[in-house]
Amino acid sequence: MISTLEPNTLIFEPVNLSPNDYKSDVHPIWCPGCGDFGVLSSFYKAISELHIPPEQLVVASGIGCSGRFPAFVNAYGLHGTHGRVLPLATGIKMAHPELVVVAAGGDGDAFSIGMGHFPHAARRNVDITYIVMDNEIYGLTKGQPSPTSPYGMERKASPYGTVDSPIDPIQMALAYNASFVARGFSSKPKEVTELIKAAMTHKGFSFVQILSPCVTFYDTYDHFKKVTAPMPADHDKSDRAKAMQLAMTEETMHLGIFYQQRRATLDEAMAGIRAKNAKPDYGVEQIMGRYMR
Ligand SMILES: Cc1ncc(C[n+]2csc(CCOP(=O)(O)OP(=O)(O)O)c2C)c(N)n1
Ligand code: SF4
């Protein structure tokens, strides 16, 4: 049986594997209580419920505690360099459009060193799912402020408090016209599972910010419990201006899908160009042949 995930055009032979079957032999060494455990469990559940064959799935990451993600998944994995997960994932998807490609990492990886890649992946609508585990701090390197850290945050690396205002990843993704924008909280595993499923079945660049507290360097569980709220039931996901308005609500961090739009993806656009300009005489062999003569 061939499975087509609507409105995605992913096609594969579905498999019936339990969430546990997607666990690799590598055990997470995250600190007990780290939010990333919740994200990983939801991820196993999501890919199990989507019936994705492990050999059809690639999980790529940059560097960070969250960057260890691919090692724990029974699928193809790539632990790349710090901040470079989006170019890596883009390359994988363009070389193999038939694969399901997921990029994962932290807020430092995404919005400090990797920030330059985000707008371009979003505007090109690369058909990948990007999961950012946002703990508002650098976990792996022991607690330096990140671009999502609150203003004035005092840590060893910022003893007088940070002097930079935080960026808002959701507002940013909406501004760059990412075609799927959502936010989850690791303490709400059922909701996170549904968000990951929706993101992976969306055809286009799917950005999911998952609030994922770092219990060791910045425990934000209570704070996130206080400030998060479900998306209003009547929110129209196709309304980007309304989504931006919700993202800008200062006192509340809404959880759920802010925005979703189906438009041509990078691989679809490239396939269109190739089809339009196909010249039988200009295959790789013909071009190479010219130089081999
Ligand atoms: C080029 C480069 N610069 C700096 C580092 C050091 N470094 C590794 S992970 C990291 C930040 C991790 O923070 P984040 O991406 O938020 O992930 P987390 O550990 O919190 O999950 C930094 C600065 C590196 N590995 N490579
Ligand atoms: S340092 Fe923080 S982010 Fe890293 S594993 Fe521990 S709790 Fe998680």
Side-chain angles (χ1 to χ4, degrees):
M1 191 193 23
I2 298 291
S3 152
T4 304
L5 304 172
E6 292 297 336
N8 203 334
T9 53
L10 291 175
I11 294 176
F12 51 74
E13 293 288 339
V15 292
N16 277 319
L17 296 174
S18 73
N20 277 342
D21 293 328
Y22 288 96
K23 289 184 181 171
S24 74
D25 297 336
V26 183
H27 296 291
I29 52 160
W30 290 319
C31 311
C34 176
D36 295 356
F37 280 107
V39 182
L40 184 62
S41 299
S42 295
F43 185 72
Y44 290 140
K45 204 148 187 287
I47 54 180
S48 161
E49 288 176 16
L50 291 176
H51 304 283
I52 302 177
E55 67 274 13
Q56 195 85 22
L57 176 66
V58 185
V59 185
S61 72
I63 304 290
C65 295
S66 44
R68 298 182 191 275
F69 211 85
F72 311 134
V73 184
N74 172 22
Y76 285 107
L78 201 124
H79 194 173
T81 47
H82 193 29
R84 303 296 169 239
V85 66
L86 288 179
L88 287 171
T90 302
I92 295 165
K93 187 68 191 178
M94 293 312 289
H96 285 281
E98 76 284 5
L99 296 178
V100 182
V101 181
V102 174
D107 39 292
D109 200 63
F111 309 127
S112 284
I113 192 167
M115 182 64 132
H117 301 295
F118 191 94
H120 304 294
R123 76 190 174 94
R124 287 176 185 143
N125 203 23
V126 188
D127 184 20
I128 59 175
T129 296
Y130 188 24
I131 298 173
V132 174
M133 284 153 268
D134 189 352
N135 52 21
E136 301 186 351
I137 202 156
Y138 291 0
L140 186 74
T141 45
K142 300 193 181 297
Q144 298 85 4
S146 90
T148 55
S149 299
Y151 184 86
M153 187 174 82
E154 290 177 27
R155 283 294 176 273
K156 277 189 189 159
S158 57
Y160 303 109
T162 51
V163 292
D164 314 313
S165 295
I167 59 136
D168 183 320
I170 297 289
Q171 288 178 39
M172 199 180 67
L174 289 167
Y176 292 135
N177 206 12
S179 62
F180 181 101
V181 181
R183 182 193 281 137
F185 177 20
S186 61
S187 287
K188 298 199 171 280
K190 269 194 209 150
E191 288 85 344
V192 171
T193 302
E194 291 310 313
L195 286 182
I196 294 174
K197 281 166 65 183
M200 290 181 72
T201 51
H202 171 74
K203 181 85 185 152
F205 184 73
S206 307
F207 171 62
V208 190
Q209 175 198 22
I210 305 183
L211 307 173
S212 180
C214 168
V215 283
T216 302
F217 295 110
Y218 188 43
D219 188 344
T220 46
Y221 276 111
D222 288 343
H223 170 69
F224 287 146
K225 272 180 203 152
K226 224 179 280 167
V227 299
T228 52
M231 196 64 64
D234 62 351
H235 174 53
D236 173 4
K237 287 184 293 188
S238 67
D239 187 341
R240 188 152 69 114
K242 183 74 194 155
M244 186 63 98
Q245 216 178 356
L246 283 167
M248 289 174 75
T249 319
E250 285 199 2
E251 64 283 6
T252 308
M253 294 180 94
H254 290 99
L255 302 176
I257 302 174
F258 284 80
Y259 181 64
Q260 185 164 16
Q261 177 206 45
R262 177 71 170 99
R263 67 174 198 267
T265 60
L266 181 62
D267 55 299
E268 287 172 335
M270 294 306 287
I273 288 174
R274 273 197 298 272
K276 219 161 136 193
N277 296 288
K279 291 193 181 103
D281 293 348
Y282 282 84
V284 174
E285 275 140 40
Q286 282 83 2
I287 292 170
M288 290 307 288
R290 281 204 238 150
Y291 298 100
M292 307 295 275
R293 265 183 231 134

